[in-house]
Amino acid sequence: MSATVSSPVCSRQPSTAHSPAFRALVAGLDALATGAGSAAELRGDPGSGKTWLLSALAEEAHRRGIRVLMGCATEYQSASPYHLVADAFANPLGDRSGPPSTADPAALVRTLAYGPFNGPDTAAAPRTDQGCEFLRAVNGLLRDWSQDGLLLIMDNVHWADPDSLKVLDYLLRQRITIPLYLVVAQRPRQAAPRLRGTLAQGVEQRTVRRIELAPLTPRQSAALVGMEPDAPLLRRLHRESHGVPLYLNALARVAARAGLNEQSAAAEPIPVKDVPEELAARLLSETGALAPEELLVLQACAVVGNAVDSLVDSRVVSHVAGLDEPRTCEIIDTLSARDLLRTTDEGPPSMVFRHPLLQRAVYDDLAPCSRIKAHRRAAGARATLGAPDHEVARDVERFASQPLPEQAALLHRAAHQVLAADPATAVRWLRLALQGLPTGPERGQVLLALATALASTGALAESDEILLELLDAERAAPAGLRSAAVELGARIRAALGHYVEARSVLASGAGADPLRAAGGDGGEHVAVLLLQGFIDLLAGRPPAREEVDEALRLAPRTADPANLAGAYAMDALHAALTGDTARAAAATDLAVEAVDQLSTVAHPEYLAAVGWSELILGRPASAERHLARGEAALRATGQGYLRPVFLLGLTFGRIGLARLDEARDTAAAAEAAVAESGLECGLAKTVASVSGVLGALTDRQVGPAAPLVSQNGHWSTLARLWLAEAAQLAGDHQLGLNLLSPVASDPTLPQLPPAVRPRAHELLAGASAFRGQPAAVWALQAAAAAAAGPAHDQAFALTAEAHLARQNGASGRAAALYEEAAGLLESSEVLWARAWTLANAATCLAESDGAWRAEPLRARAEAITGRAIVPEPVAVPRILGAPLPHRPGEEPVRRTRGGVALSVLTDREREVATIAGAGLRSREVAERLHLSPRTVDVHLNRIYRKLNITSRSALVRLMAERS
């Protein structure tokens, strides 16, 4: 009859009726209406909403006219015999004063539990010598009061006194034959072993229904705090609350006070400086019953855990608490049994607080002077135990406002250790270290480290100011320090968009601190030359040829293989951007071989040069590998502000690999990285445009797509090319024309690097054909640009010729050209082009006599992209009034005076097309039709095929035409 139910609470409002947990509880009330009794166990961690649900259940019982008895155990009364049971039976009877009549069962229960008394201040000691009589009295009372149905709620049973637990054990071991609904609520981690066993037996025998309050799902968290499920802030709140309603509500209030909105980024934790007062009081009430030593150890745990990701090291705790380690471990076990501390599920066994908010509440409750002393002891204990510097530093910063020189040195080392993962903490420690280093050579090293850390947090302007201070104040500093400061200063200036100043910084550094003097093996000089090339890349222009040649001449003489890899990479980039395609291919091969042999990447910009060269040469898979490796190395070298350079390249590589959704997400990450990094060069402006266009193309547009910034340089022109590729795959050919028109005033496309011109000509030929514009000029230019080029360039020329043939009505010839192009692309990394030619070949075959061969080609295209690619028919058949092409076995799309006919669609497909054609997203269509978003997407793919369209924007246009 009964069953285990696992369901979390989903709302704090009277919408409880929509909660599976509440519905499971109410099922017991429904059974009472038939005269049947039952039992249920409500289990959940602290803050999961047990008491709230029980109150709602009691209200529902009152509404139905069912009598309710409700007892609640407390830790302070856990030693009072029968307190929980007596509390439940006394509730509906009012005051306990006055001489009770033993004829009254309720009075008998009170008398047995507390003894006779004449008032609240004269109660005798609780009685424990009449257990059997007590159980009979309870049975009699339950039988008398349950004649019309009775709900008996026992809350916080994990704190119940032993005698009350015996009563509950007695009641739960027998099948309930009277109209009684017994509900037991408790924390599973603190439950009494015997009662836990009895309940488990009841669940197994189906006499007890178990209701688990599991952590909230993200959607339930969103309903609780009133946010959208996919909002970045909601994801943060859900993750940090562990899905516990109590903590979720508290963190939501903290976020609101901090001014965070739903779109706040999800990377950093919610800034909890003070636990909300009402929550702190509730959490600290659990510590009130602790013995002095237990409280001392818990406070020590809060100090120690506060230093290292909440993990508790018993050795350090014992030192902070002033107790020996065995005694400390005993107390930690006690605190764990009380569910104040828990064992971690991952890694080696360690203790953590039940929730960081509990730890923060205990920590904040500690007196300030006591906290300082505790952190000083903790720092000493960690150092003695050989803990890493970054663990010791978290204690040092809490007691050393003026650190000693050795403490400043420790903070400096610790900042270096955390720079990659937590640059903000590195900045904080380095600022503190400077307080202990007013003068001396060590101060220069700390200033350089601070400038690096600030740049990693996006504070480029402040980083630049510190470097100026360093170069001005430390003129007598070692050459290595000045060289590092000069190079970092040049990178920062370039990232801020001050390219001339960046080169000037390098030139002034060379004069003052002979960077160009070929000291040693000349490695520093090569590094400067390569940095100048990277500055040119940021500026959107090719590296200077003479500097690349000098780097190539000197690099083999150095002892650093990274210099040779960098020289090859800059040579490849220059050749790719300036039109020497053969040299670019050869240099790229050399650069790839060199960088792949490097075990560590001290100069991620070399990987950027390699990756961008590969993109231009049509090697998106290789480019993705190198750009991803470089992006991962940036944070380790304190250059996180350059992530947009790599992420934009990864975006274009994923377009080339026909992964539009991934490209969209990568572009959004690049846009967020620009905001975080403070990058202000021309690349930053291009990133925003790319993210907006891809968001619109993939139907995830939040706002209007930003127009591509009109600017000279390769960032803008290359972005137009790859976005046109994305537009082609998405079926928006007009957007492709709009994107390329600024660089297409001269049919030879001189603004684009020669290596990409054949593909640009093909894009223009296809978009022109599909939009009813002349395609011949672009087909001719594609053939000229691809002459003597690699196989994929020949494929682009054939594809452009196929577009022209198709526009001229020669579907059979077009199909043959498309298939030939697909064959040339078989071993190419340019997957979007292979999928595009296969899809076009399939469509042309469906138009001609080769319809039976169309479906396998279409399937191959869809296997590459993971989505349907159904190229729109060219404009000429529409002009001639010919029927639109259709897939074999499908009725051709018919157009009427009012637009496209929907008779080829099923009833459900017409419903989906009508709603989606009005501009609604899949989730909104799903909600209206009571379908899943995935089912809607399946219907849309079928609709696109039947209507010979490839995108939602095309569907919107067709539906607008129809109406």
Side-chain angles (χ1 to χ4, degrees):
M1 177 183 71
S2 300
T4 300
V5 179
S6 179
S7 170
V9 188
C10 67
S11 176
R12 60 185 171 188
Q13 299 299 330
S15 56
T16 324
H18 299 295
S19 164
F22 186 68
R23 288 197 297 271
L25 284 172
V26 169
L29 298 181
D30 296 336
L32 287 180
T34 66
S38 61
E41 179 193 16
L42 181 63
R43 293 161 44 108
D45 281 344
S48 58
K50 298 184 299 297
T51 299
W52 186 89
L53 271 177
L54 293 177
S55 298
L57 180 67
E59 291 178 8
E60 177 63 19
H62 280 301
R63 189 185 66 78
R64 299 187 183 194
I66 298 172
R67 174 173 286 175
V68 178
L69 301 179
M70 193 167 187
C72 183
T74 64
E75 188 171 13
Y76 298 103
Q77 294 168 313
S78 58
S80 301
Y82 300 108
H83 174 269
L84 174 60
V85 177
D87 182 62
F89 286 107
N91 272 343
L93 300 180
D95 196 311
R96 293 177 180 168
S97 61
S101 168
T102 54
D104 180 356
L108 176 60
V109 168
R110 295 198 305 277
T111 300
L112 289 171
Y114 294 98
F117 58 91
N118 294 317
D121 298 327
T122 60
R127 302 174 62 181
T128 60
D129 56 345
Q130 302 187 47
C132 293
E133 187 177 355
F134 189 91
L135 291 176
R136 284 195 296 271
V138 169
N139 258 334
L141 185 55
L142 292 176
R143 189 172 299 278
D144 290 344
W145 279 6
S146 65
Q147 293 177 6
D148 298 320
L150 174 64
L151 170 63
L152 175 57
I153 295 175
M154 297 297 199
D155 195 9
N156 287 344
V157 172
H158 51 276
W159 280 329
D161 61 273
D163 293 291
S164 292
L165 289 175
K166 292 178 183 177
V167 174
L168 289 176
D169 185 74
Y170 168 76
L171 294 175
L172 290 166
R173 283 185 180 277
Q174 54 186 332
R175 183 176 295 275
I176 298 176
T177 59
I178 58 177
L180 166 68
Y181 183 24
L182 172 60
V183 179
V184 174
Q186 62 181 344
R187 301 176 182 177
R189 297 172 188 267
Q190 296 172 257
R194 178 174 177 178
L195 184 63
R196 188 163 54 213
T198 300
L199 287 166
Q201 182 179 357
V203 170
E204 183 179 346
Q205 295 175 352
R206 302 179 68 83
T207 60
V208 175
R209 179 188 297 107
R210 173 168 290 165
I211 302 168
E212 298 272 6
L213 295 185
L216 300 178
T217 66
R219 187 167 295 278
Q220 290 166 333
S221 292
L224 182 63
V225 297
M227 295 183 185
E228 288 295 322
D230 56 354
L233 178 59
L234 187 279
R235 293 198 295 270
R236 290 172 61 185
L237 291 171
H238 177 76
R239 181 176 64 250
E240 294 180 30
S241 68
H242 302 173
V244 177
L246 177 69
Y247 306 137
L248 178 65
N249 277 319
L251 289 171
R253 290 194 293 272
V254 171
R257 287 201 299 263
L260 302 180
N261 58 44
E262 289 193 34
Q263 298 306 314
S264 297
E268 299 298 326
I270 304 295
V272 181
K273 296 180 180 178
D274 298 295
V275 179
E277 183 177 352
E278 63 277 11
L279 176 61
R282 177 170 174 176
L283 295 174
L284 291 174
S285 67
E286 296 188 48
T287 69
L290 295 178
E293 279 191 347
E294 294 172 344
L295 181 60
L296 184 64
V297 169
L298 185 67
Q299 290 171 337
C301 288
V303 169
V304 172
N306 219 31
V308 193
D309 301 328
S310 299
L311 292 179
V312 172
D313 187 327
S314 62
R315 298 169 299 174
V316 181
V317 170
S318 65
H319 188 84
V320 173
L323 301 172
D324 60 69
E325 191 173 350
R327 176 57 181 155
T328 300
C329 289
E330 289 178 11
I331 295 175
I332 286 177
D333 289 341
T334 300
L335 297 174
S336 177
R338 299 174 70 92
D339 199 26
L340 294 169
L341 300 176
R342 291 179 179 177
T343 304
T344 57
D345 296 328
E346 299 178 0
S350 301
M351 301 303 297
V352 295
F353 273 80
R354 183 175 75 214
H355 191 274
L357 286 174
L358 172 60
Q359 176 184 347
R360 183 76 196 195
V362 173
Y363 182 82
D364 290 345
D365 194 50
L366 195 59
C369 289
S370 298
R371 280 202 298 264
I372 291 174
K373 293 177 182 177
H375 280 296
R376 184 175 283 112
R377 294 194 204 103
R382 292 187 203 277
T384 301
L385 292 169
D389 291 330
H390 66 85
E391 292 187 10
V392 182
R394 295 183 187 274
D395 288 306
V396 170
E397 70 171 327
R398 293 180 179 273
F399 70 80
S401 57
Q402 289 287 334
L404 299 172
E406 60 270 21
Q407 293 169 339
L410 180 140
L411 290 167
H412 184 193
R413 296 193 303 270
H416 177 73
Q417 293 172 359
V418 303
L419 175 62
D422 191 0
T425 295
V427 167
R428 194 173 67 245
W429 290 346
L430 291 166
R431 291 191 194 279
L432 180 58
L434 286 174
Q435 300 299 315
L437 297 171
T439 59
E442 294 84 1
R443 182 178 178 83
Q445 295 289 349
V446 174
L447 281 171
L448 178 62
L450 178 58
T452 301
L454 283 168
S456 290
T457 65
L460 297 181
E462 186 178 359
S463 176
D464 188 43
E465 292 175 4
I466 289 177
L467 289 169
L468 290 175
E469 175 191 345
L470 172 61
L471 292 172
D472 183 58
E474 304 291 341
R475 293 189 179 277
L481 174 61
R482 287 190 59 78
S483 298
V486 166
E487 292 191 25
L488 179 58
R491 295 173 192 275
I492 299 300
R493 292 294 177 90
L496 289 170
H498 308 318
Y499 312 115
V500 175
E501 292 183 23
R503 280 181 160 271
S504 177
V505 168
L506 283 177
S508 64
D513 175 34
L515 286 170
R516 294 180 178 272
D521 59 6
E524 286 186 350
H525 184 28
V526 173
V528 171
L529 291 169
L530 297 176
L531 178 55
Q532 288 171 332
F534 184 67
I535 291 171
D536 288 335
L537 173 63
L538 288 177
R541 58 177 178 255
R545 182 73 260 174
E546 63 275 11
E547 292 172 350
V548 173
D549 288 341
E550 188 176 358
L552 286 170
R553 181 177 61 84
L554 293 175
R557 306 177 188 178
T558 70
D560 188 354
N563 285 334
L564 188 60
Y568 288 146
M570 291 301 169
D571 184 30
L573 185 62
H574 177 275
L577 290 172
T578 57
D580 192 345
T581 305
R583 177 167 183 161
T588 299
D589 291 340
L590 290 172
V592 167
E593 182 180 1
V595 298
D596 286 351
Q597 291 178 359
L598 298 177
S599 57
T600 59
V601 183
H603 296 278
E605 63 268 24
Y606 302 165
L607 286 168
V610 171
W612 278 94
S613 301
E614 290 173 316
L615 285 174
I616 294 168
L617 293 173
R619 307 177 184 179
S622 300
E624 182 182 38
R625 179 168 63 87
H626 291 116
L627 290 168
R629 183 185 177 195
E631 195 266 337
L634 283 173
R635 293 192 182 277
T637 57
Q639 300 180 71
Y641 53 92
L642 294 177
R643 286 183 68 225
V645 178
F646 293 80
L647 291 173
L648 184 63
L650 286 169
T651 298
F652 295 157
R654 285 158 186 169
I655 291 174
L657 294 170
R659 306 200 312 252
L660 290 191
D661 287 345
E662 280 188 64
R664 175 206 63 225
D665 295 341
T666 307
E671 188 175 17
V674 167
E676 294 171 4
S677 67
L679 202 69
E680 296 179 13
C681 57
L683 166 77
K685 300 174 183 178
T686 300
V687 164
S689 302
V690 170
S691 180
V693 171
L694 286 175
L697 277 175
T698 54
D699 197 31
R700 301 286 180 86
Q701 184 176 1
V702 176
L708 274 170
V709 178
S710 177
Q711 59 183 27
N712 295 322
H714 292 292
W715 293 126
S716 179
T717 53
L718 291 175
R720 292 180 184 281
L721 173 71
W722 274 293
L723 288 176
E725 291 178 4
Q728 185 186 71
L729 275 176
D732 197 333
H733 302 293
Q734 186 60 56
L735 175 59
L737 284 176
N738 294 343
L739 286 164
L740 291 175
S741 60
V743 299
S745 56
D746 183 337
T748 62
L749 307 181
Q751 296 184 49
L752 288 172
V756 301
R757 288 175 191 167
R759 73 176 100 166
H761 285 126
E762 184 276 320
L763 289 167
L764 285 163
S768 298
F770 290 120
R771 299 304 298 168
Q773 299 180 18
V777 63
W778 303 118
L780 292 172
Q781 289 295 334
H792 62 256
D793 283 354
Q794 303 296 325
F796 290 132
L798 288 171
T799 305
E801 185 180 353
H803 295 325
L804 180 60
R806 190 173 174 198
Q807 189 176 48
N808 291 331
S811 295
R813 173 168 168 71
L817 290 169
Y818 284 132
E819 286 194 87
E820 185 179 355
L824 289 174
L825 292 168
E826 195 63 37
S827 60
S828 168
E829 294 182 17
V830 191
L831 299 184
W832 72 268
R834 195 191 320 167
W836 177 241
T837 54
L838 289 168
N840 275 283
T843 301
C844 288
L845 287 170
E847 297 171 1
S848 61
D849 296 334
W852 60 277
R853 295 177 49 222
E855 193 58 36
L857 295 180
R858 196 191 308 274
R860 286 171 60 192
E862 293 183 11
I864 292 172
T865 64
R867 64 169 69 196
I869 302 180
V870 187
E872 292 185 38
V874 295
V876 169
R878 299 185 186 180
I879 295 172
L880 297 178
L884 294 174
H886 59 280
R887 295 178 66 175
E890 291 182 353
E891 182 182 352
V893 176
R894 294 188 294 274
R895 290 182 178 272
T896 67
R897 299 176 72 91
V900 64
L902 301 184
S903 59
V904 295
L905 305 180
T906 65
D907 291 343
R908 176 62 84 183
E909 288 168 351
R910 279 196 293 272
E911 289 179 323
V912 172
T914 300
I915 299 174
L920 276 69
R921 294 177 295 179
S922 294
R923 180 168 55 84
E924 295 167 324
V925 176
E927 290 174 355
R928 289 200 181 189
L929 297 179
H930 306 291
L931 302 172
S932 72
R934 184 176 181 83
T935 301
V936 170
D937 289 335
V938 171
H939 283 306
L940 284 172
N941 282 330
R942 293 172 181 165
I943 291 166
Y944 295 161
R945 288 199 298 268
K946 291 182 179 182
L947 299 183
N948 278 300
I949 57 178
T950 58
S951 68
R952 189 169 305 215
S953 58
L955 177 62
V956 171
R957 287 197 300 271
L958 283 176
M959 297 306 293
E961 178 184 343
R962 180 174 183 273
S963 61

